[in-house]
Amino acid sequence: MSNARATHLTRRGILAAGGALGLGAVLAACGDDDPTSSGSADETKAASGPWTFKDDRGTTVKLDAIPANIVAFTGVAAALFDYGIEVKGVFGPTKTADGKADVQAGDIDISKVTILGNEWGQFNIEKYAALAPDVLISTLFDDAGTLWYVPEESKDKILKLAPSVGISVYDRQLPVSLERMYALAESLGADVQAAEVVDAKKKFETAAERLRAAAKAHPDIKVLAGSASQDIFYVSGSNLSIDLEYFKALGVNLVEPDPKVLKASGGWYENLSWENVDKYPADIIMMDDRTGTIQPADITEATWKQLPAVKAGQVIPRSPEPIISYDKCTPLLDNLAEAIENAKKVA
């Protein structure tokens, strides 16, 4: 097993905790040596003509026409929806136990999509085949090209039914992934010159400058990114996550776990017992907002309640798997900027 693959399996431990036939012809994708190609609209023909897109694995997918039957990881589907592109089916956290849309579903009308699997490891291949998919799209959380939420044990059957596209959200800053999703949406027929799209991008850029200014004005405010489970409190490192890498680049003073401990998780996080949750002083705590994690209001541990940031009410949500559209990422920047602007030094 490669080191990259081992890292991915470790990453599943924390991220999956937040969530886990008969087509006539099988479409194939051909490889390409340049994974950095933009995949923008200049690679795309008219809707009636061929469609080509080079993804972040360096794979070029070629179809006779722009895909009409798209199946995607829920977060990808939510991002494409913000650009006016709707999908037929989704997989990944989509519906909560009470039947409402999961936080990762964004503005999708979940009653209008086929849910192939709502948890880690779930993927209904028969339903997938019945959709006659033109393409499957997911994110990539490693450099080995592993499609997020496509089950390892059934991926060979799944990937035989349609070509796949992967957009990386691994070891890069948020704007890079945003540009790639934007390019993908444009290739699929999105009107990226529409007023709402142009406005969303401008608002994101404005929010980024606001966060930069807040971080510069308050360099002493320490921000910790955490995630809660029954027995473990996870402290995220900033070197692999697209949001944290970008926050750090904008000047945010992020708490960094012990590098030696981080190495054991492939660089993603350090796990602490609740008794040791105060190991890293912080003025602001950003907490994982995914449905499968324990939310701050539901944490009963006394050690948590005694943290200075908690007592000061300086706990805000964080989206470790952000919906990669400018519209959905702008609030992430604004919320952190506002928290830093108003934070008291308590650590």
Side-chain angles (χ1 to χ4, degrees):
M1 178 181 293
S2 70
N3 289 335
R5 183 69 186 135
T7 297
H8 177 73
L9 288 172
T10 304
R11 172 65 165 163
R12 289 184 177 189
I14 176 61
L15 280 184
L21 284 185
L23 286 179
V26 177
L27 300 172
C30 63
D32 193 295
D33 293 331
D34 180 13
T36 61
S37 175
S38 68
S40 60
D42 59 5
E43 297 176 341
T44 307
K45 304 300 181 182
S48 60
W51 180 78
T52 301
F53 188 83
K54 184 182 295 181
D55 77 357
D56 291 336
R57 299 170 298 178
T59 297
T60 299
V61 177
K62 298 179 180 180
L63 299 175
D64 292 337
I66 292 179
N69 294 342
I70 301 171
V71 172
F73 170 65
T74 302
V76 172
L80 293 176
F81 186 86
D82 286 347
Y83 291 110
I85 304 298
E86 298 190 25
V87 307
K88 299 288 187 180
V90 295
F91 55 94
T94 305
K95 182 187 294 186
T96 60
D98 59 4
K100 297 180 180 179
D102 189 275
V103 64
Q104 295 191 61
D107 295 329
I108 296 173
D109 184 344
I110 62 173
S111 69
K112 294 183 178 179
V113 294
T114 298
I115 301 174
L116 303 175
N118 198 57
E119 298 178 5
W120 185 261
Q122 294 180 349
F123 195 110
N124 191 310
I125 299 176
E126 289 72 26
K127 283 187 178 181
Y128 178 55
L131 292 173
D134 294 320
V135 68
L136 178 149
I137 309 173
S138 191
T139 47
L140 308 171
F141 273 97
D142 62 17
D143 56 8
T146 309
L147 294 166
W148 192 234
Y149 265 81
V150 174
E152 181 69 23
E153 60 274 14
S154 55
K155 69 182 176 89
D156 290 344
K157 291 181 179 179
I158 294 167
L159 298 180
K160 284 179 180 179
L161 298 175
S164 61
V165 167
I167 298 296
S168 180
V169 290
Y170 172 75
D171 196 16
R172 55 182 56 190
Q173 293 181 24
L174 181 58
V176 178
S177 294
L178 282 167
E179 289 165 6
R180 293 295 291 137
M181 191 66 72
Y182 177 98
L184 175 61
E186 185 179 14
S187 80
L188 292 169
D191 180 6
V192 296
Q193 298 306 315
E196 58 269 25
V197 175
V198 174
D199 185 56
K201 191 172 183 179
K202 287 181 179 178
K203 286 181 177 178
F204 176 84
E205 293 166 351
T206 299
E209 288 309 309
R210 178 186 179 186
L211 180 54
R212 189 193 303 276
K216 184 176 182 180
H218 305 278
D220 59 331
I221 296 297
K222 297 181 71 67
V223 180
L224 181 148
S227 183
S229 67
Q230 185 70 35
D231 301 312
I232 299 174
F233 182 80
Y234 300 90
V235 179
S236 294
S238 66
N239 291 327
L240 297 178
S241 298
I242 57 173
D243 61 332
L244 299 184
E245 283 203 20
Y246 189 46
F247 298 160
K248 182 170 62 175
L250 292 174
V252 175
N253 184 1
L254 291 171
V255 170
E256 296 288 355
D258 184 336
K260 293 181 180 179
V261 179
L262 273 179
K263 187 176 181 180
S265 70
W268 288 105
Y269 57 86
E270 176 178 354
N271 56 323
L272 301 175
S273 66
W274 284 104
E275 289 76 14
N276 295 315
V277 73
D278 60 353
K279 179 177 179 179
Y280 297 106
D283 301 294
I284 296 171
I285 301 176
M286 295 189 295
M287 287 295 290
D288 189 336
D289 69 353
R290 288 169 300 174
T291 303
T293 62
I294 301 176
Q295 297 306 300
D298 299 319
I299 299 176
T300 59
E301 301 289 341
T303 47
W304 163 262
K305 293 181 178 180
Q306 291 303 310
L307 292 176
V310 175
K311 293 174 71 174
Q314 295 178 173
V315 178
I316 64 172
R318 177 200 169 210
S319 299
E321 294 183 63
I323 295 171
I324 309 299
S325 73
Y326 291 104
D327 180 70
K328 293 298 183 293
C329 286
T330 295
L332 309 183
L333 303 179
D334 276 331
N335 291 345
L336 179 54
E338 181 178 9
I340 292 174
E341 290 164 354
N342 297 325
K344 298 176 182 179
K345 182 65 183 173
V346 296

